[in-house]
Amino acid sequence: PKGLADEHVKSLLEKCGTVVSWKRVEDVETKEPKGFGFCEYEKADHVMRALRILNGFEIGGSELLLKVDSKTQAYLDDFVMRKNAILKASKVADLTVGQQAEFGTEIGKTEEEEDERVKGEVKTLCTSLVDDGTMARVEFLNKPPAPPPDKAEDDKDKEGDRDKDRRDDRDRRDRDRRDSDRDRGRDGGRDSGRDS
């Protein structure tokens, strides 16, 4: 979200796994950071965890949106298939160290348990951002603009303006009549264009 510093975003992303790179996109003209960026994780399991935990996560009054491109999605789909096949065929304790590292599987921990641990860390991070005032600033910067005035109110205002215009027109006509009558009174009430 706008106003959330890069280091805070990176800290949030790092709760899901090792971040190889994080680059927030900047506006070309203003150099202000935009509300999106690109993250690369060390392992596919970290990407999967980020998608499960952070996608749709509300922070600073807006929801995070995590997406992967089609190439990455194909890789993740293959990764899940391979992981499920290996885990189905063997117990976690029987996996080689290399398989455990590739699939992010820790002995004795399920994916759900690991996700719960990470959610707790994300919550702790967000609480610290609330405590230091960062979230209040982020929420202010991301507050949606005030809705347009109610149509009924707008129509009422326009009607009031029309009434004022009518009164102004009437006052102008009355003033012109008085001026015209006063001018005729100076002539002595005579019509200078007629013979008597």
Side-chain angles (χ1 to χ4, degrees):
K2 185 177 183 178
L4 191 59
D6 281 350
E7 63 266 13
H8 294 134
V9 175
K10 188 172 181 185
S11 293
L12 193 62
L13 294 167
E14 286 175 334
K15 298 299 178 192
C16 296
T18 305
V19 173
V20 174
S21 67
W22 157 246
K23 176 70 175 151
R24 193 174 208 164
V25 176
E26 291 181 348
D27 185 282
V28 178
E29 294 176 11
T30 66
K31 301 295 183 202
E32 289 290 317
K34 290 190 172 191
F36 68 96
F38 298 93
C39 179
E40 180 183 352
Y41 280 99
E42 182 179 66
K43 297 180 181 179
D45 210 38
H46 301 167
V47 176
M48 302 289 288
R49 181 168 293 115
L51 289 169
R52 284 192 307 272
I53 294 173
L54 298 178
N55 191 36
F57 183 79
E58 188 172 322
I59 186 165
S62 59
E63 287 186 2
L64 296 179
L65 174 64
L66 276 68
K67 298 191 282 187
V68 294
D69 62 21
S70 58
K71 183 179 173 185
T72 304
Q73 187 61 57
Y75 174 79
L76 293 175
D77 292 342
D78 180 62
F79 170 81
V80 169
M81 257 183 19
R82 288 185 299 118
K83 179 178 177 179
N84 288 339
I86 289 174
L87 291 177
K88 193 175 194 178
S90 61
K91 297 177 186 170
V92 174
D94 295 336
L95 296 177
T96 67
V97 173
Q99 288 172 324
Q100 288 180 24
E102 179 183 3
F103 298 120
T105 308
E106 292 183 41
I107 296 174
K109 282 194 175 181
T110 65
E111 191 173 86
E112 291 81 17
E113 289 171 330
E114 186 64 13
D115 284 357
E116 287 306 312
R117 180 191 65 74
V118 170
K119 285 178 186 176
E121 289 181 11
V122 167
K123 185 177 179 182
T124 300
L125 174 63
C126 289
T127 300
S128 71
L129 294 175
V130 167
D131 292 345
D132 74 6
T134 299
M135 293 311 289
R137 189 186 61 183
V138 170
E139 287 173 0
F140 175 77
L141 291 172
N142 290 286
K143 190 165 62 170
D150 183 23
K151 177 143 176 57
E153 279 294 317
D154 200 31
D155 289 346
K156 188 177 177 182
D157 290 344
K158 286 179 184 175
E159 186 62 37
D161 290 345
R162 277 187 236 127
D163 288 344
K164 184 179 180 320
D165 290 344
R166 285 185 201 117
R167 282 192 305 273
D168 290 347
D169 286 346
R170 187 185 61 229
D171 291 346
R172 199 173 9 265
R173 283 191 309 269
D174 289 348
R175 201 173 30 252
D176 290 346
R177 253 187 248 121
R178 280 193 307 270
D179 291 347
S180 178
D181 289 347
R182 189 177 54 236
D183 289 345
R184 265 186 266 158
R186 286 191 204 140
D187 287 346
R190 294 179 275 129
D191 188 358
S192 57
R194 287 183 13 187
D195 289 321
S196 326

